[in-house]
Amino acid sequence: MTVDPIHQFEIKRYVDLLNLSSVQFSFTNAAVFMFGIVAIIFFFLTYATRGRTLVPGRAQSAAEMSYEFIAKMVRDSAGNQGMVFFPLVFSLFMFVLVANVVGLIPYTFTVTAHLIVTAALALLVIGTVIIYGFVKHGTHFLHLFVPSGVPGFLLPFLVVIEVVSFLSRPISLSLRLFANMLAGHIALKVFAFFVVGLASAGIAGWFGATLPFLMIVALTALELLVAVLQAYVFAVLTSIYLNDAIHPGH
Amino acid sequence: MMKSWKVTVALAFAGAVLMGAPVSAASDPAGKPATVAQAAPPTGAAGHGTHEPAAAAPGTGHADAAGDHGKKSHFPPFDGTTFASQLLWLVLSFGLLYFLMSRIALPRIGRILEERHDRIADDLEEAAKHKADSEAAQAAYEKALAEARAKANSIAGETRNRLNAEQDANRKSLEAELATKLAAAEERIASTKTEALTHVKGIAVDATGAIVSTLIGTSPAQHEVEQAVDSALAKKDAA
């Protein structure tokens, strides 16, 4: 038995596609899960709305609620102009949500427990903010770093703080999701090993194993909450950051 | 805070792995060999390229700095050799997701919501129209009712007046007729009276002549009797 709580994060290479000296492209389990997530989201949304009924059923209600939930979030934090980013925020939210929830199913792979994935998503958000900000506002976008109504001698410090806080956004955005997913899955695995280890130790162990088993039940519920919450947090922060690209003035 | 302990746990695990310490939950003696053995197949696969000979040896794998991209790490999320593949598939899958969402799924849901919104607005509008219609109908009905009532009142009043007038006219004509009949009757009475009175003189003359003839045995001359009656009548009238 491999007593290794990080075994679940291992990338398995199914087919090596391209093997250069510095980079290596392979079809992996991560790829399977990423496309699986896309398929689940797309299938659910199209299947739920297949009837296009005026009075929605349960599935259509869920699809409509997810739509309106994200639409409201984007509109509240970035205004009506922010709705150009609605498909982006919606895609991010659904991708992270489904990735997190799918990862809770035993024997699955958690796409969002890999820092490179969350970092890429965070950089996509910040890259969108920067590019859209400069395209839309030119150098006026830099006013983002200059708070208005501040005494002159404080301004340099505040500009430095603003720049640092802006640069820390992609880091916090990616690390938060990554660390939550990673830690939760490791904790679940560790308690699972306790259960198996104790149960194999005889009758007394069977009784002893109930405690970590109850812990797993509780942790799974907590992880479900965290999975949904982290997707929500990711989407909310994305909307807030995008608002800076649309309204750079403080 | 929940979040902070998680970060701590994650970093502790990450740190432990980076330091090269095998992470094993129980003090299972098989733990260490398992970890090493497990690291072997990927390095074997990487061996196809055979461009990282030092890292391929299982024993030296522990010494590698995990942050160094392109080198093997025992902690999969920090294994730089998988980054390129992960990024490639993420870009492809997320790009596909974005395309599907922005072109197909979201417009579809948006259209459903818009149609419902329009339908509800239409229905409300129609209901308001119906309500206005019914109120107008009610007002028209009340107006018609009031008019009918007024008309009925006026007809009743007119009829009453007409009947009164007719009655008056009838009464007057009847009274006039009665008056003429009365006058005619009075006239007839008067004429009958005068006629009777003229007959009275003749009767008196005849009676006087008869009386005288009876008393004295001779009948007086007619004109004497008439004279005597006239004078008696004149005397009576004078009295």
mmCIF file of all heavy atoms in Angstrom, chain B residues 208-234:
data_model
loop_
_atom_site.group_PDB
_atom_site.id
_atom_site.type_symbol
_atom_site.label_atom_id
_atom_site.label_comp_id
_atom_site.label_asym_id
_atom_site.label_seq_id
_atom_site.Cartn_x
_atom_site.Cartn_y
_atom_site.Cartn_z
ATOM 1 N N THR B 208 -163.641 83.853 -14.293
ATOM 2 C CA THR B 208 -164.401 85.011 -13.857
ATOM 3 C C THR B 208 -165.761 85.026 -14.568
ATOM 4 O O THR B 208 -166.804 85.222 -13.930
ATOM 5 C CB THR B 208 -163.636 86.310 -14.157
ATOM 6 O OG1 THR B 208 -162.342 86.179 -13.632
ATOM 7 C CG2 THR B 208 -164.333 87.535 -13.528
ATOM 8 N N GLY B 209 -165.714 84.830 -15.909
ATOM 9 C CA GLY B 209 -166.950 84.823 -16.684
ATOM 10 C C GLY B 209 -167.885 83.728 -16.139
ATOM 11 O O GLY B 209 -169.083 83.959 -15.900
ATOM 12 N N ALA B 210 -167.308 82.561 -15.878
ATOM 13 C CA ALA B 210 -168.106 81.449 -15.405
ATOM 14 C C ALA B 210 -168.701 81.762 -14.040
ATOM 15 O O ALA B 210 -169.894 81.502 -13.775
ATOM 16 C CB ALA B 210 -167.232 80.176 -15.338
ATOM 17 N N ILE B 211 -167.891 82.297 -13.154
ATOM 18 C CA ILE B 211 -168.312 82.632 -11.803
ATOM 19 C C ILE B 211 -169.459 83.669 -11.880
ATOM 20 O O ILE B 211 -170.488 83.502 -11.204
ATOM 21 C CB ILE B 211 -167.130 83.165 -10.979
ATOM 22 C CG1 ILE B 211 -166.155 82.014 -10.693
ATOM 23 C CG2 ILE B 211 -167.601 83.815 -9.657
ATOM 24 C CD1 ILE B 211 -164.798 82.469 -10.238
ATOM 25 N N VAL B 212 -169.273 84.697 -12.650
ATOM 26 C CA VAL B 212 -170.233 85.770 -12.748
ATOM 27 C C VAL B 212 -171.549 85.205 -13.303
ATOM 28 O O VAL B 212 -172.619 85.486 -12.745
ATOM 29 C CB VAL B 212 -169.702 86.907 -13.644
ATOM 30 C CG1 VAL B 212 -170.795 87.937 -13.991
ATOM 31 C CG2 VAL B 212 -168.517 87.595 -12.923
ATOM 32 N N SER B 213 -171.449 84.425 -14.356
ATOM 33 C CA SER B 213 -172.662 83.895 -14.948
ATOM 34 C C SER B 213 -173.431 83.001 -13.977
ATOM 35 O O SER B 213 -174.643 83.008 -13.905
ATOM 36 C CB SER B 213 -172.312 83.141 -16.257
ATOM 37 O OG SER B 213 -171.576 81.997 -16.006
ATOM 38 N N THR B 214 -172.672 82.263 -13.191
ATOM 39 C CA THR B 214 -173.265 81.407 -12.185
ATOM 40 C C THR B 214 -173.957 82.268 -11.122
ATOM 41 O O THR B 214 -175.039 81.966 -10.673
ATOM 42 C CB THR B 214 -172.215 80.517 -11.554
ATOM 43 O OG1 THR B 214 -171.519 79.881 -12.574
ATOM 44 C CG2 THR B 214 -172.826 79.471 -10.605
ATOM 45 N N LEU B 215 -173.302 83.396 -10.686
ATOM 46 C CA LEU B 215 -173.797 84.233 -9.619
ATOM 47 C C LEU B 215 -175.013 85.007 -10.066
ATOM 48 O O LEU B 215 -175.972 85.039 -9.334
ATOM 49 C CB LEU B 215 -172.703 85.171 -9.145
ATOM 50 C CG LEU B 215 -171.595 84.549 -8.244
ATOM 51 C CD1 LEU B 215 -170.577 85.580 -7.974
ATOM 52 C CD2 LEU B 215 -172.161 83.970 -6.974
ATOM 53 N N ILE B 216 -174.936 85.624 -11.256
ATOM 54 C CA ILE B 216 -175.999 86.480 -11.644
ATOM 55 C C ILE B 216 -176.854 85.958 -12.756
ATOM 56 O O ILE B 216 -177.829 86.536 -13.119
ATOM 57 C CB ILE B 216 -175.456 87.891 -12.002
ATOM 58 C CG1 ILE B 216 -174.480 87.816 -13.165
ATOM 59 C CG2 ILE B 216 -174.971 88.639 -10.760
ATOM 60 C CD1 ILE B 216 -173.979 89.182 -13.611
ATOM 61 N N GLY B 217 -176.521 84.873 -13.299
ATOM 62 C CA GLY B 217 -177.325 84.228 -14.323
ATOM 63 C C GLY B 217 -177.088 84.770 -15.709
ATOM 64 O O GLY B 217 -177.551 84.157 -16.613
ATOM 65 N N THR B 218 -176.376 85.813 -15.865
ATOM 66 C CA THR B 218 -176.036 86.300 -17.167
ATOM 67 C C THR B 218 -174.579 86.334 -17.359
ATOM 68 O O THR B 218 -173.815 86.587 -16.430
ATOM 69 C CB THR B 218 -176.536 87.734 -17.386
ATOM 70 O OG1 THR B 218 -176.001 88.556 -16.362
ATOM 71 C CG2 THR B 218 -178.056 87.817 -17.456
ATOM 72 N N SER B 219 -174.237 86.054 -18.568
ATOM 73 C CA SER B 219 -172.786 86.067 -18.846
ATOM 74 C C SER B 219 -172.359 87.436 -19.357
ATOM 75 O O SER B 219 -172.972 87.963 -20.275
ATOM 76 C CB SER B 219 -172.406 85.000 -19.866
ATOM 77 O OG SER B 219 -173.317 84.886 -20.951
ATOM 78 N N PRO B 220 -171.440 88.000 -18.664
ATOM 79 C CA PRO B 220 -170.952 89.336 -19.048
ATOM 80 C C PRO B 220 -170.212 89.298 -20.388
ATOM 81 O O PRO B 220 -169.844 88.255 -20.833
ATOM 82 C CB PRO B 220 -169.956 89.709 -17.924
ATOM 83 C CG PRO B 220 -169.501 88.414 -17.339
ATOM 84 C CD PRO B 220 -170.590 87.423 -17.622
ATOM 85 N N ALA B 221 -170.035 90.452 -20.959
ATOM 86 C CA ALA B 221 -169.267 90.542 -22.209
ATOM 87 C C ALA B 221 -167.829 90.252 -21.956
ATOM 88 O O ALA B 221 -167.294 90.506 -20.883
ATOM 89 C CB ALA B 221 -169.433 91.967 -22.815
ATOM 90 N N GLN B 222 -167.333 89.684 -22.992
ATOM 91 C CA GLN B 222 -165.924 89.214 -22.904
ATOM 92 C C GLN B 222 -164.967 90.346 -22.538
ATOM 93 O O GLN B 222 -164.146 90.175 -21.651
ATOM 94 C CB GLN B 222 -165.518 88.589 -24.254
ATOM 95 C CG GLN B 222 -164.149 87.947 -24.271
ATOM 96 C CD GLN B 222 -164.086 86.649 -23.477
ATOM 97 O OE1 GLN B 222 -165.042 85.887 -23.280
ATOM 98 N NE2 GLN B 222 -162.896 86.459 -22.916
ATOM 99 N N HIS B 223 -165.076 91.511 -23.200
ATOM 100 C CA HIS B 223 -164.072 92.541 -22.985
ATOM 101 C C HIS B 223 -164.178 93.145 -21.605
ATOM 102 O O HIS B 223 -163.201 93.509 -21.030
ATOM 103 C CB HIS B 223 -164.196 93.642 -24.072
ATOM 104 C CG HIS B 223 -165.442 94.380 -24.025
ATOM 105 N ND1 HIS B 223 -166.660 93.900 -24.629
ATOM 106 C CD2 HIS B 223 -165.780 95.553 -23.409
ATOM 107 C CE1 HIS B 223 -167.589 94.767 -24.370
ATOM 108 N NE2 HIS B 223 -167.120 95.794 -23.633
ATOM 109 N N GLU B 224 -165.447 93.082 -20.980
ATOM 110 C CA GLU B 224 -165.593 93.584 -19.629
ATOM 111 C C GLU B 224 -164.863 92.722 -18.643
ATOM 112 O O GLU B 224 -164.194 93.205 -17.748
ATOM 113 C CB GLU B 224 -167.095 93.619 -19.277
ATOM 114 C CG GLU B 224 -167.791 94.776 -19.894
ATOM 115 C CD GLU B 224 -169.319 94.731 -19.624
ATOM 116 O OE1 GLU B 224 -169.811 93.874 -18.855
ATOM 117 O OE2 GLU B 224 -170.007 95.606 -20.246
ATOM 118 N N VAL B 225 -165.080 91.462 -18.851
ATOM 119 C CA VAL B 225 -164.367 90.516 -17.959
ATOM 120 C C VAL B 225 -162.863 90.745 -18.057
ATOM 121 O O VAL B 225 -162.174 90.816 -17.048
ATOM 122 C CB VAL B 225 -164.708 89.070 -18.336
ATOM 123 C CG1 VAL B 225 -163.900 88.079 -17.473
ATOM 124 C CG2 VAL B 225 -166.193 88.796 -18.162
ATOM 125 N N GLU B 226 -162.382 90.883 -19.313
ATOM 126 C CA GLU B 226 -160.929 91.056 -19.502
ATOM 127 C C GLU B 226 -160.447 92.316 -18.793
ATOM 128 O O GLU B 226 -159.426 92.303 -18.124
ATOM 129 C CB GLU B 226 -160.580 91.127 -21.005
ATOM 130 C CG GLU B 226 -160.397 89.725 -21.598
ATOM 131 C CD GLU B 226 -160.130 89.784 -23.110
ATOM 132 O OE1 GLU B 226 -159.652 90.850 -23.632
ATOM 133 O OE2 GLU B 226 -160.341 88.732 -23.771
ATOM 134 N N GLN B 227 -161.280 93.364 -18.889
ATOM 135 C CA GLN B 227 -160.932 94.624 -18.232
ATOM 136 C C GLN B 227 -160.828 94.456 -16.727
ATOM 137 O O GLN B 227 -159.875 94.902 -16.107
ATOM 138 C CB GLN B 227 -161.978 95.702 -18.566
ATOM 139 C CG GLN B 227 -161.516 96.598 -19.664
ATOM 140 C CD GLN B 227 -162.656 97.627 -20.032
ATOM 141 O OE1 GLN B 227 -163.801 97.657 -19.470
ATOM 142 N NE2 GLN B 227 -162.346 98.498 -21.009
ATOM 143 N N ALA B 228 -161.852 93.767 -16.216
ATOM 144 C CA ALA B 228 -161.873 93.567 -14.757
ATOM 145 C C ALA B 228 -160.699 92.769 -14.278
ATOM 146 O O ALA B 228 -160.063 93.115 -13.297
ATOM 147 C CB ALA B 228 -163.185 92.818 -14.381
ATOM 148 N N VAL B 229 -160.387 91.690 -15.016
ATOM 149 C CA VAL B 229 -159.207 90.847 -14.632
ATOM 150 C C VAL B 229 -157.937 91.675 -14.699
ATOM 151 O O VAL B 229 -157.125 91.616 -13.777
ATOM 152 C CB VAL B 229 -159.108 89.611 -15.557
ATOM 153 C CG1 VAL B 229 -157.786 88.881 -15.364
ATOM 154 C CG2 VAL B 229 -160.241 88.650 -15.229
ATOM 155 N N ASP B 230 -157.795 92.447 -15.780
ATOM 156 C CA ASP B 230 -156.585 93.262 -15.908
ATOM 157 C C ASP B 230 -156.446 94.229 -14.739
ATOM 158 O O ASP B 230 -155.352 94.354 -14.167
ATOM 159 C CB ASP B 230 -156.589 94.047 -17.232
ATOM 160 C CG ASP B 230 -156.221 93.169 -18.430
ATOM 161 O OD1 ASP B 230 -155.659 92.041 -18.177
ATOM 162 O OD2 ASP B 230 -156.440 93.553 -19.598
ATOM 163 N N SER B 231 -157.560 94.872 -14.396
ATOM 164 C CA SER B 231 -157.448 95.838 -13.298
ATOM 165 C C SER B 231 -157.131 95.146 -11.991
ATOM 166 O O SER B 231 -156.341 95.624 -11.183
ATOM 167 C CB SER B 231 -158.742 96.645 -13.203
ATOM 168 O OG SER B 231 -159.816 95.779 -12.849
ATOM 169 N N ALA B 232 -157.755 93.955 -11.796
ATOM 170 C CA ALA B 232 -157.443 93.200 -10.551
ATOM 171 C C ALA B 232 -155.991 92.796 -10.514
ATOM 172 O O ALA B 232 -155.347 92.914 -9.455
ATOM 173 C CB ALA B 232 -158.309 91.908 -10.510
ATOM 174 N N LEU B 233 -155.553 92.366 -11.688
ATOM 175 C CA LEU B 233 -154.110 91.980 -11.735
ATOM 176 C C LEU B 233 -153.223 93.196 -11.477
ATOM 177 O O LEU B 233 -152.231 93.097 -10.771
ATOM 178 C CB LEU B 233 -153.762 91.389 -13.093
ATOM 179 C CG LEU B 233 -154.148 89.910 -13.330
ATOM 180 C CD1 LEU B 233 -153.888 89.527 -14.764
ATOM 181 C CD2 LEU B 233 -153.383 88.987 -12.382
ATOM 182 N N ALA B 234 -153.620 94.342 -12.071
ATOM 183 C CA ALA B 234 -152.813 95.558 -11.884
ATOM 184 C C ALA B 234 -152.806 95.947 -10.425
ATOM 185 O O ALA B 234 -151.763 96.291 -9.895
ATOM 186 C CB ALA B 234 -153.403 96.693 -12.742
#
